[in-house]
C-alpha cells in the first residue's frame, strides 16, 4: 500500500470535496480517499499501481487542479 498527499487547488465547498472523492475513488487500485476542504489536501491510499498522472486526471475530471506535496 502507498499513501500520497496532494494539494487540490480551487475547492470551495462540500460539493467540491464529494466530486474529488468520487472521481479519485473510481480509479482502479485506490483503497481510500480523504479530502480535507479546510487545508485543500487530498490523501490517497492505493495498492501501489496508481500513478500521480491518474490522480491528476481524476482531479481534473472533477474540475480542479492539484500539485503533489513534496
Amino acid at each position: 500500500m502507498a499513501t500520497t498527499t496532494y494539494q487540490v487547488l480551487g475547492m470551495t465547498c462540500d460539493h467540491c470535496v464529494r466530486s474529488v472523492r468520487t472521481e479519485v475513488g473510481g480509479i482502479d487500485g485506490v483503497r481510500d480517499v480523504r479530502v480535507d476542504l479546510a487545508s485543500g489536501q487530498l490523501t490517497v491510499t492505493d495498492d501501489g499501481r496508481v500513478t500521480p498522472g491518474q490522480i491528476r486526471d481524476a482531479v481534473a475530471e472533477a474540475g480542479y487542479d492539484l500539485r503533489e506535496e513534496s
Side-chain angles (χ1 to χ4, degrees):
M1 294 287 208
T3 300
T4 308
T5 300
Y6 303 88
Q7 188 70 35
V8 179
L9 308 173
M11 292 191 305
T12 59
C13 65
D14 288 335
H15 175 73
C16 302
V17 169
R18 283 191 302 276
S19 294
V20 170
R21 187 181 307 125
T22 298
E23 290 296 332
V24 174
I27 299 170
D28 187 39
V30 168
R31 300 293 181 236
D32 186 52
V33 178
R34 296 180 190 266
V35 183
D36 183 74
L37 179 61
S39 68
Q41 288 191 323
L42 163 66
T43 303
V44 180
T45 302
D46 66 78
D47 62 6
R49 296 180 298 131
V50 177
T51 67
Q54 288 175 290
I55 301 295
R56 184 174 308 280
D57 289 348
V59 170
E61 187 67 30
Y64 307 95
D65 294 313
L66 66 79
R67 98 176 155 251
E68 189 171 350
E69 294 289 302
S70 44

